[in-house]
Amino acid sequence: MQQKEPQEPPKKPRRAPAPAERKLDPERSRRLLLDAAMDEFAEKGYAGARVQDIADRAGLNKQLISYYFGGKEGLYQELHRQWLRREEETIVDPAAPLDELIVRYLRETFADPRATRLNLWKGLTGGALEEPREDLSGLRRRQADGELAEDLDPAAAMLLFISLVSAPVALPHAVRQLFGLDPDSPEFREHYTEQLRRIVRHLAQQRDPR
């Protein structure tokens, strides 16, 4: 008895690729990689972050990191450049009072603590950037205008401001112990923001009442 040859299952019609599949969006890929890199660097520091983990988090091939950024160091440097642009465009305002300026940095930290965590990792393990000395000319100008007492070293004041802004991210356990509040709670953030304003104002030059 002649056997029939098994029939192949009918093939599904091929779906035409969507436009996004036909042409990779370079800007979207760059954004995904930068966001994933920020997550990885904030969680593990520069030394601990792996290119493969960054690519996996972004859902992209790790070769794109070399293609777009020249490797992990290039990603790190681009994140730094992004931060400097955002700082200049949305935070720094020479006309703003000093307490308002420091509060803007604090609010930026509350909104996205990853940059602060990355900076903390850099202090602990180092990073990929050789940064120039901090420009304190703006703070010296404010000191000349009386916003900072004349007997204070602007470098020491800047270090204090960085510490005040970083503290809720760097020391969440201390926040709970000292304030009895969760560092992410609206109650703490409102209270700490007001206290930071007062601290900065107290650093101003005392005016002669005469």
mmCIF file of all heavy atoms in Angstrom, residues 157-193:
data_model
loop_
_atom_site.group_PDB
_atom_site.id
_atom_site.type_symbol
_atom_site.label_atom_id
_atom_site.label_comp_id
_atom_site.label_asym_id
_atom_site.label_seq_id
_atom_site.Cartn_x
_atom_site.Cartn_y
_atom_site.Cartn_z
ATOM 1 N N ALA A 157 32.742 76.084 51.781
ATOM 2 C CA ALA A 157 31.302 76.280 51.633
ATOM 3 C C ALA A 157 30.751 75.390 50.522
ATOM 4 O O ALA A 157 29.680 74.776 50.679
ATOM 5 C CB ALA A 157 30.999 77.746 51.344
ATOM 6 N N MET A 158 31.477 75.283 49.409
ATOM 7 C CA MET A 158 31.011 74.438 48.305
ATOM 8 C C MET A 158 30.939 72.979 48.735
ATOM 9 O O MET A 158 29.983 72.263 48.414
ATOM 10 C CB MET A 158 31.941 74.590 47.102
ATOM 11 C CG MET A 158 31.538 73.738 45.910
ATOM 12 S SD MET A 158 29.952 74.256 45.176
ATOM 13 C CE MET A 158 30.476 75.716 44.270
ATOM 14 N N LEU A 159 31.958 72.521 49.464
ATOM 15 C CA LEU A 159 31.946 71.143 49.950
ATOM 16 C C LEU A 159 30.761 70.918 50.890
ATOM 17 O O LEU A 159 30.120 69.856 50.858
ATOM 18 C CB LEU A 159 33.255 70.826 50.665
ATOM 19 C CG LEU A 159 33.450 69.379 51.118
ATOM 20 C CD1 LEU A 159 33.403 68.419 49.926
ATOM 21 C CD2 LEU A 159 34.768 69.222 51.872
ATOM 22 N N LEU A 160 30.453 71.912 51.720
ATOM 23 C CA LEU A 160 29.287 71.817 52.602
ATOM 24 C C LEU A 160 28.005 71.710 51.798
ATOM 25 O O LEU A 160 27.138 70.870 52.090
ATOM 26 C CB LEU A 160 29.233 73.040 53.515
ATOM 27 C CG LEU A 160 27.975 73.170 54.389
ATOM 28 C CD1 LEU A 160 27.884 72.018 55.382
ATOM 29 C CD2 LEU A 160 27.971 74.508 55.116
ATOM 30 N N PHE A 161 27.862 72.509 50.758
ATOM 31 C CA PHE A 161 26.644 72.484 49.943
ATOM 32 C C PHE A 161 26.480 71.122 49.251
ATOM 33 O O PHE A 161 25.373 70.567 49.207
ATOM 34 C CB PHE A 161 26.682 73.599 48.895
ATOM 35 C CG PHE A 161 26.721 74.985 49.479
ATOM 36 C CD1 PHE A 161 27.369 76.010 48.812
ATOM 37 C CD2 PHE A 161 26.117 75.260 50.695
ATOM 38 C CE1 PHE A 161 27.408 77.292 49.350
ATOM 39 C CE2 PHE A 161 26.153 76.542 51.242
ATOM 40 C CZ PHE A 161 26.804 77.558 50.564
ATOM 41 N N ILE A 162 27.582 70.602 48.705
ATOM 42 C CA ILE A 162 27.520 69.284 48.067
ATOM 43 C C ILE A 162 27.089 68.225 49.075
ATOM 44 O O ILE A 162 26.263 67.350 48.772
ATOM 45 C CB ILE A 162 28.887 68.920 47.452
ATOM 46 C CG1 ILE A 162 29.213 69.861 46.297
ATOM 47 C CG2 ILE A 162 28.898 67.472 46.967
ATOM 48 C CD1 ILE A 162 30.626 69.726 45.767
ATOM 49 N N SER A 163 27.621 68.314 50.285
ATOM 50 C CA SER A 163 27.280 67.343 51.334
ATOM 51 C C SER A 163 25.815 67.454 51.739
ATOM 52 O O SER A 163 25.131 66.438 51.919
ATOM 53 C CB SER A 163 28.177 67.552 52.553
ATOM 54 O OG SER A 163 29.545 67.422 52.214
ATOM 55 N N LEU A 164 25.330 68.684 51.874
ATOM 56 C CA LEU A 164 23.927 68.890 52.259
ATOM 57 C C LEU A 164 22.971 68.318 51.207
ATOM 58 O O LEU A 164 21.955 67.705 51.550
ATOM 59 C CB LEU A 164 23.652 70.388 52.440
ATOM 60 C CG LEU A 164 24.222 71.048 53.692
ATOM 61 C CD1 LEU A 164 24.113 72.567 53.587
ATOM 62 C CD2 LEU A 164 23.508 70.554 54.945
ATOM 63 N N VAL A 165 23.306 68.515 49.946
ATOM 64 C CA VAL A 165 22.447 68.029 48.870
ATOM 65 C C VAL A 165 22.513 66.510 48.760
ATOM 66 O O VAL A 165 21.510 65.840 48.479
ATOM 67 C CB VAL A 165 22.855 68.695 47.535
ATOM 68 C CG1 VAL A 165 22.170 68.017 46.359
ATOM 69 C CG2 VAL A 165 22.517 70.183 47.564
ATOM 70 N N SER A 166 23.684 65.931 49.013
ATOM 71 C CA SER A 166 23.877 64.487 48.854
ATOM 72 C C SER A 166 23.405 63.671 50.043
ATOM 73 O O SER A 166 23.129 62.474 49.901
ATOM 74 C CB SER A 166 25.365 64.181 48.615
ATOM 75 O OG SER A 166 25.861 64.873 47.503
ATOM 76 N N ALA A 167 23.325 64.285 51.212
ATOM 77 C CA ALA A 167 23.091 63.545 52.454
ATOM 78 C C ALA A 167 21.854 62.642 52.431
ATOM 79 O O ALA A 167 21.934 61.492 52.874
ATOM 80 C CB ALA A 167 23.029 64.513 53.638
ATOM 81 N N PRO A 168 20.691 63.097 51.949
ATOM 82 C CA PRO A 168 19.524 62.198 51.980
ATOM 83 C C PRO A 168 19.708 60.928 51.157
ATOM 84 O O PRO A 168 19.119 59.887 51.483
ATOM 85 C CB PRO A 168 18.405 63.073 51.394
ATOM 86 C CG PRO A 168 18.824 64.474 51.668
ATOM 87 C CD PRO A 168 20.316 64.459 51.510
ATOM 88 N N VAL A 169 20.528 60.996 50.093
ATOM 89 C CA VAL A 169 20.800 59.813 49.274
ATOM 90 C C VAL A 169 21.925 58.991 49.876
ATOM 91 O O VAL A 169 21.863 57.763 49.912
ATOM 92 C CB VAL A 169 21.154 60.226 47.825
ATOM 93 C CG1 VAL A 169 21.562 59.016 46.995
ATOM 94 C CG2 VAL A 169 19.973 60.931 47.178
ATOM 95 N N ALA A 170 22.951 59.670 50.377
ATOM 96 C CA ALA A 170 24.122 58.968 50.911
ATOM 97 C C ALA A 170 23.855 58.324 52.266
ATOM 98 O O ALA A 170 24.415 57.272 52.583
ATOM 99 C CB ALA A 170 25.291 59.935 51.026
ATOM 100 N N LEU A 171 22.989 58.942 53.056
ATOM 101 C CA LEU A 171 22.779 58.492 54.438
ATOM 102 C C LEU A 171 21.292 58.349 54.772
ATOM 103 O O LEU A 171 20.790 58.976 55.716
ATOM 104 C CB LEU A 171 23.432 59.492 55.412
ATOM 105 C CG LEU A 171 24.937 59.733 55.231
ATOM 106 C CD1 LEU A 171 25.380 60.945 56.029
ATOM 107 C CD2 LEU A 171 25.717 58.493 55.644
ATOM 108 N N PRO A 172 20.561 57.522 54.036
ATOM 109 C CA PRO A 172 19.126 57.384 54.324
ATOM 110 C C PRO A 172 18.864 56.841 55.727
ATOM 111 O O PRO A 172 17.860 57.209 56.347
ATOM 112 C CB PRO A 172 18.644 56.410 53.251
ATOM 113 C CG PRO A 172 19.864 55.656 52.822
ATOM 114 C CD PRO A 172 20.982 56.636 52.938
ATOM 115 N N HIS A 173 19.755 55.978 56.230
ATOM 116 C CA HIS A 173 19.580 55.440 57.585
ATOM 117 C C HIS A 173 19.715 56.547 58.627
ATOM 118 O O HIS A 173 19.005 56.551 59.648
ATOM 119 C CB HIS A 173 20.616 54.344 57.847
ATOM 120 C CG HIS A 173 22.029 54.803 57.745
ATOM 121 N ND1 HIS A 173 22.623 55.154 56.550
ATOM 122 C CD2 HIS A 173 22.984 54.996 58.705
ATOM 123 C CE1 HIS A 173 23.876 55.525 56.765
ATOM 124 N NE2 HIS A 173 24.117 55.441 58.068
ATOM 125 N N ALA A 174 20.617 57.510 58.381
ATOM 126 C CA ALA A 174 20.776 58.630 59.305
ATOM 127 C C ALA A 174 19.537 59.520 59.288
ATOM 128 O O ALA A 174 19.137 60.068 60.327
ATOM 129 C CB ALA A 174 22.019 59.430 58.947
ATOM 130 N N VAL A 175 18.936 59.673 58.118
ATOM 131 C CA VAL A 175 17.695 60.448 58.026
ATOM 132 C C VAL A 175 16.621 59.820 58.911
ATOM 133 O O VAL A 175 15.934 60.521 59.676
ATOM 134 C CB VAL A 175 17.219 60.530 56.564
ATOM 135 C CG1 VAL A 175 15.802 61.121 56.495
ATOM 136 C CG2 VAL A 175 18.185 61.365 55.726
ATOM 137 N N ARG A 176 16.484 58.505 58.833
ATOM 138 C CA ARG A 176 15.474 57.822 59.648
ATOM 139 C C ARG A 176 15.781 57.965 61.138
ATOM 140 O O ARG A 176 14.873 58.171 61.955
ATOM 141 C CB ARG A 176 15.401 56.350 59.259
ATOM 142 C CG ARG A 176 14.947 56.118 57.818
ATOM 143 C CD ARG A 176 14.791 54.635 57.513
ATOM 144 N NE ARG A 176 14.477 54.388 56.110
ATOM 145 C CZ ARG A 176 15.387 54.140 55.170
ATOM 146 N NH1 ARG A 176 16.674 54.051 55.502
ATOM 147 N NH2 ARG A 176 15.019 53.953 53.915
ATOM 148 N N GLN A 177 17.049 57.855 61.497
ATOM 149 C CA GLN A 177 17.425 57.945 62.899
ATOM 150 C C GLN A 177 17.248 59.348 63.460
ATOM 151 O O GLN A 177 16.815 59.527 64.598
ATOM 152 C CB GLN A 177 18.891 57.510 63.071
ATOM 153 C CG GLN A 177 19.129 56.019 62.815
ATOM 154 C CD GLN A 177 20.608 55.679 62.760
ATOM 155 O OE1 GLN A 177 21.462 56.542 62.557
ATOM 156 N NE2 GLN A 177 20.927 54.406 62.940
ATOM 157 N N LEU A 178 17.592 60.348 62.658
ATOM 158 C CA LEU A 178 17.579 61.729 63.150
ATOM 159 C C LEU A 178 16.208 62.380 63.064
ATOM 160 O O LEU A 178 15.798 63.104 63.975
ATOM 161 C CB LEU A 178 18.588 62.565 62.356
ATOM 162 C CG LEU A 178 20.062 62.208 62.565
ATOM 163 C CD1 LEU A 178 20.928 62.917 61.526
ATOM 164 C CD2 LEU A 178 20.513 62.579 63.965
ATOM 165 N N PHE A 179 15.516 62.127 61.965
ATOM 166 C CA PHE A 179 14.245 62.815 61.733
ATOM 167 C C PHE A 179 13.036 61.938 62.032
ATOM 168 O O PHE A 179 11.926 62.454 62.134
ATOM 169 C CB PHE A 179 14.163 63.307 60.284
ATOM 170 C CG PHE A 179 15.180 64.352 59.918
ATOM 171 C CD1 PHE A 179 16.429 63.986 59.449
ATOM 172 C CD2 PHE A 179 14.890 65.705 60.037
ATOM 173 C CE1 PHE A 179 17.380 64.948 59.098
ATOM 174 C CE2 PHE A 179 15.818 66.671 59.690
ATOM 175 C CZ PHE A 179 17.072 66.292 59.223
ATOM 176 N N GLY A 180 13.247 60.627 62.118
ATOM 177 C CA GLY A 180 12.125 59.727 62.292
ATOM 178 C C GLY A 180 11.216 59.689 61.083
ATOM 179 O O GLY A 180 10.027 59.386 61.202
ATOM 180 N N LEU A 181 11.766 59.991 59.901
ATOM 181 C CA LEU A 181 10.995 60.047 58.664
ATOM 182 C C LEU A 181 11.723 59.266 57.584
ATOM 183 O O LEU A 181 12.956 59.138 57.604
ATOM 184 C CB LEU A 181 10.817 61.496 58.203
ATOM 185 C CG LEU A 181 9.973 62.416 59.097
ATOM 186 C CD1 LEU A 181 10.113 63.861 58.633
ATOM 187 C CD2 LEU A 181 8.510 61.992 59.075
ATOM 188 N N ASP A 182 10.961 58.765 56.623
ATOM 189 C CA ASP A 182 11.571 58.123 55.467
ATOM 190 C C ASP A 182 12.146 59.199 54.555
ATOM 191 O O ASP A 182 11.476 60.207 54.291
ATOM 192 C CB ASP A 182 10.528 57.298 54.712
ATOM 193 C CG ASP A 182 11.167 56.463 53.618
ATOM 194 O OD1 ASP A 182 11.411 57.025 52.522
ATOM 195 O OD2 ASP A 182 11.429 55.278 53.853
ATOM 196 N N PRO A 183 13.378 59.028 54.064
ATOM 197 C CA PRO A 183 13.979 60.072 53.231
ATOM 198 C C PRO A 183 13.237 60.334 51.928
ATOM 199 O O PRO A 183 13.422 61.399 51.326
ATOM 200 C CB PRO A 183 15.395 59.535 52.962
ATOM 201 C CG PRO A 183 15.319 58.072 53.259
ATOM 202 C CD PRO A 183 14.287 57.905 54.315
ATOM 203 N N ASP A 184 12.394 59.397 51.482
ATOM 204 C CA ASP A 184 11.621 59.596 50.255
ATOM 205 C C ASP A 184 10.241 60.196 50.517
ATOM 206 O O ASP A 184 9.496 60.463 49.563
ATOM 207 C CB ASP A 184 11.447 58.269 49.518
ATOM 208 C CG ASP A 184 12.770 57.731 48.986
ATOM 209 O OD1 ASP A 184 13.643 58.551 48.641
ATOM 210 O OD2 ASP A 184 12.927 56.503 48.924
ATOM 211 N N SER A 185 9.912 60.412 51.785
ATOM 212 C CA SER A 185 8.568 60.891 52.108
ATOM 213 C C SER A 185 8.433 62.386 51.826
ATOM 214 O O SER A 185 9.389 63.149 51.971
ATOM 215 C CB SER A 185 8.246 60.636 53.583
ATOM 216 O OG SER A 185 9.076 61.437 54.415
ATOM 217 N N PRO A 186 7.254 62.837 51.420
ATOM 218 C CA PRO A 186 7.036 64.273 51.205
ATOM 219 C C PRO A 186 7.288 65.083 52.469
ATOM 220 O O PRO A 186 7.762 66.227 52.385
ATOM 221 C CB PRO A 186 5.564 64.342 50.775
ATOM 222 C CG PRO A 186 5.236 62.980 50.255
ATOM 223 C CD PRO A 186 6.064 62.030 51.064
ATOM 224 N N GLU A 187 6.980 64.503 53.636
ATOM 225 C CA GLU A 187 7.171 65.231 54.896
ATOM 226 C C GLU A 187 8.643 65.569 55.103
ATOM 227 O O GLU A 187 8.995 66.701 55.457
ATOM 228 C CB GLU A 187 6.646 64.409 56.068
ATOM 229 C CG GLU A 187 5.133 64.204 56.100
ATOM 230 C CD GLU A 187 4.680 63.077 55.181
ATOM 231 O OE1 GLU A 187 5.546 62.371 54.604
ATOM 232 O OE2 GLU A 187 3.450 62.902 55.029
ATOM 233 N N PHE A 188 9.502 64.577 54.918
ATOM 234 C CA PHE A 188 10.937 64.840 55.094
ATOM 235 C C PHE A 188 11.437 65.834 54.056
ATOM 236 O O PHE A 188 12.178 66.771 54.383
ATOM 237 C CB PHE A 188 11.752 63.549 55.004
ATOM 238 C CG PHE A 188 13.228 63.821 54.909
ATOM 239 C CD1 PHE A 188 13.942 64.239 56.019
ATOM 240 C CD2 PHE A 188 13.888 63.715 53.685
ATOM 241 C CE1 PHE A 188 15.299 64.545 55.923
ATOM 242 C CE2 PHE A 188 15.243 64.006 53.579
ATOM 243 C CZ PHE A 188 15.952 64.421 54.709
ATOM 244 N N ARG A 189 11.071 65.628 52.803
ATOM 245 C CA ARG A 189 11.592 66.480 51.751
ATOM 246 C C ARG A 189 11.199 67.940 51.960
ATOM 247 O O ARG A 189 12.022 68.848 51.748
ATOM 248 C CB ARG A 189 11.105 65.980 50.389
ATOM 249 C CG ARG A 189 11.713 64.637 50.014
ATOM 250 C CD ARG A 189 11.320 64.187 48.624
ATOM 251 N NE ARG A 189 12.047 62.984 48.234
ATOM 252 C CZ ARG A 189 12.011 62.431 47.040
ATOM 253 N NH1 ARG A 189 11.266 62.980 46.088
ATOM 254 N NH2 ARG A 189 12.717 61.339 46.771
ATOM 255 N N GLU A 190 9.966 68.175 52.361
ATOM 256 C CA GLU A 190 9.524 69.546 52.603
ATOM 257 C C GLU A 190 10.287 70.154 53.773
ATOM 258 O O GLU A 190 10.773 71.292 53.707
ATOM 259 C CB GLU A 190 8.020 69.560 52.877
ATOM 260 C CG GLU A 190 7.464 70.950 53.120
ATOM 261 C CD GLU A 190 5.965 70.938 53.362
ATOM 262 O OE1 GLU A 190 5.340 69.864 53.205
ATOM 263 O OE2 GLU A 190 5.415 72.002 53.716
ATOM 264 N N HIS A 191 10.416 69.385 54.853
ATOM 265 C CA HIS A 191 11.097 69.890 56.047
ATOM 266 C C HIS A 191 12.582 70.133 55.770
ATOM 267 O O HIS A 191 13.138 71.179 56.135
ATOM 268 C CB HIS A 191 10.926 68.892 57.201
ATOM 269 C CG HIS A 191 11.651 69.290 58.444
ATOM 270 N ND1 HIS A 191 11.299 70.385 59.199
ATOM 271 C CD2 HIS A 191 12.724 68.731 59.074
ATOM 272 C CE1 HIS A 191 12.111 70.490 60.241
ATOM 273 N NE2 HIS A 191 12.997 69.495 60.189
ATOM 274 N N TYR A 192 13.227 69.185 55.120
ATOM 275 C CA TYR A 192 14.663 69.296 54.867
ATOM 276 C C TYR A 192 14.967 70.442 53.898
ATOM 277 O O TYR A 192 15.962 71.163 54.074
ATOM 278 C CB TYR A 192 15.203 67.981 54.308
ATOM 279 C CG TYR A 192 16.711 67.946 54.195
ATOM 280 C CD1 TYR A 192 17.509 67.858 55.340
ATOM 281 C CD2 TYR A 192 17.337 68.004 52.958
ATOM 282 C CE1 TYR A 192 18.898 67.838 55.241
ATOM 283 C CE2 TYR A 192 18.721 67.968 52.852
ATOM 284 C CZ TYR A 192 19.490 67.882 53.999
ATOM 285 O OH TYR A 192 20.862 67.866 53.902
ATOM 286 N N THR A 193 14.114 70.629 52.912
ATOM 287 C CA THR A 193 14.304 71.728 51.972
ATOM 288 C C THR A 193 14.275 73.067 52.687
ATOM 289 O O THR A 193 15.115 73.942 52.444
ATOM 290 C CB THR A 193 13.214 71.693 50.879
ATOM 291 O OG1 THR A 193 13.314 70.457 50.155
ATOM 292 C CG2 THR A 193 13.369 72.856 49.911
#
